[in-house]
Amino acid sequence: MASDLNIFQQPSPNFGIRRGGVIPSMIVLHYTAMKSSKDAIQRLSDPKSEVSAHYLIDEAGKVTQLVDEQKRAWHAGQGCWGEINDINSYSIGIELDYCPSAKCNFDERQISSLEKLLFDILKRRSEIRPEFIIAHSDMAPGRKFDPGMYFPWKKLSQKGLSIWPENILDLAADWGKFKYHAERFGYRASCDTFGGWTDVLDVFRLRFLPKQEGKLSPVDMGVITYLSNNWPNIRNND
Ligand SMILES: [Zn+2]
């Protein structure tokens, strides 16, 4: 355990067994979209809500653990990433106390605690590589949008806690190639229609090109190709 990271324990009853006894190989990052961390902890611990997460980090950086990492918390819901459909069994869920309608940038104290927690988890769990730390939106295009456009993925990547595309070349816009590279990286459309793939484009941009709008463009192509070539979603431990 990182010496300067205090983790407060507040067990939630909302968890189950990881199906098939799998070892988590992913981390899913969320925002709570609630008024306060107190409200969020209450909801994540209410049996009626049937939701939870392993950790919650409040704005000031306080880390609360609600579910043991060995257990299956209920944070991901419907969706998939690469070949994995049961994201809850394969992942550790971290909630950030953050309300997108109330603010833009995340509090530095909150991100600092998140970095310490991620360092600690990655040190203990070699199955989790930086490219397997994903957004809730990544695994549920069209349904989820957290942790949102202000989450500092690039900053995390500079510490080996995420990935980020560099020196991107523009490439010709081509939906067939976009789908190929998006799937190779890990994205799955909820349905194989133009709408389903537009949802994938939207969540991909939310994370990697938050200012990009309009139709599929050469910069989208450059980034998705870079991601797919550098981090193809290939697992050897499943
Ligand atoms: Zn979420």
Side-chain angles (χ1 to χ4, degrees):
M1 186 63 56
S3 58
D4 56 346
L5 178 67
N6 280 322
I7 299 182
F8 295 83
Q9 301 292 328
Q10 189 148 341
S12 163
N14 298 349
F15 66 85
I17 304 294
R18 291 188 184 275
R19 292 175 188 149
V22 296
I23 294 168
S25 54
M26 306 168 59
I27 294 174
V28 180
L29 301 179
H30 304 259
Y31 59 50
T32 58
M34 294 188 77
K35 272 190 204 141
S36 70
S37 65
K38 195 173 157 232
D39 288 356
I41 287 174
Q42 209 163 41
R43 177 166 150 76
L44 296 168
S45 305
D46 180 354
K48 285 193 234 103
S49 76
E50 299 189 339
V51 294
S52 62
H54 293 92
Y55 298 97
L56 175 118
I57 307 177
D58 80 6
E59 272 187 342
K62 179 182 173 181
V63 182
T64 302
Q65 180 162 21
L66 298 130
V67 175
D68 188 290
E69 284 182 17
Q70 294 192 2
K71 304 296 185 195
R72 181 178 181 275
W74 305 335
H75 58 96
Q78 189 78 33
C80 45
W81 183 250
E83 302 305 313
I84 294 177
N85 295 302
D86 179 7
I87 304 281
N88 281 338
S89 281
Y90 279 87
S91 67
I92 291 170
I94 302 176
E95 290 276 359
L96 300 166
D97 167 33
Y98 173 96
C99 194
S101 59
K103 65 188 294 182
C104 294
N105 290 337
F106 284 77
D107 195 299
E108 278 182 31
R109 297 168 298 173
Q110 186 176 40
I111 296 303
S112 167
S113 288
L114 174 65
E115 289 170 354
K116 287 174 191 167
L117 179 60
L118 291 175
F119 271 127
D120 177 59
I121 296 172
L122 266 57
K123 199 172 65 188
R124 290 185 283 107
R125 297 186 176 277
S126 59
E127 302 81 12
I128 305 177
R129 303 204 301 258
E131 64 268 35
F132 297 153
I133 301 175
I134 66 166
H136 196 191
S137 51
D138 288 330
M139 52 142 287
R143 191 174 74 81
K144 291 290 173 183
F145 302 92
D146 57 320
M149 67 187 293
Y150 295 101
F151 184 78
W153 292 105
K154 186 175 180 180
K155 184 167 182 256
L156 259 61
S157 78
Q158 289 158 351
K159 302 187 174 184
L161 299 172
S162 178
I163 53 164
W164 193 255
E166 301 285 356
N167 306 318
I168 300 307
L169 302 171
D170 285 1
L171 296 169
D174 177 325
W175 268 107
K177 286 182 182 163
F178 178 84
K179 290 179 190 177
Y180 168 79
H181 287 294
E183 283 202 323
R184 189 161 170 248
F185 179 56
Y187 287 109
R188 295 291 181 272
S190 60
C191 54
D192 190 16
T193 60
F194 182 70
W197 282 101
T198 302
D199 287 343
V200 171
L201 176 64
D202 287 346
V203 293
F204 152 76
R205 285 175 170 174
L206 185 66
R207 177 167 165 191
F208 293 105
L209 290 166
K211 291 181 183 138
Q212 196 69 23
E213 290 178 337
K215 61 183 186 182
L216 185 66
S217 73
V219 64
D220 294 314
M221 293 304 299
V223 173
I224 200 70
T225 305
Y226 185 99
L227 295 172
S228 143
N229 286 342
N230 283 275
W231 298 286
N233 196 295
I234 297 163
R235 287 157 184 271
N236 46 25
N237 63 336
D238 298 333

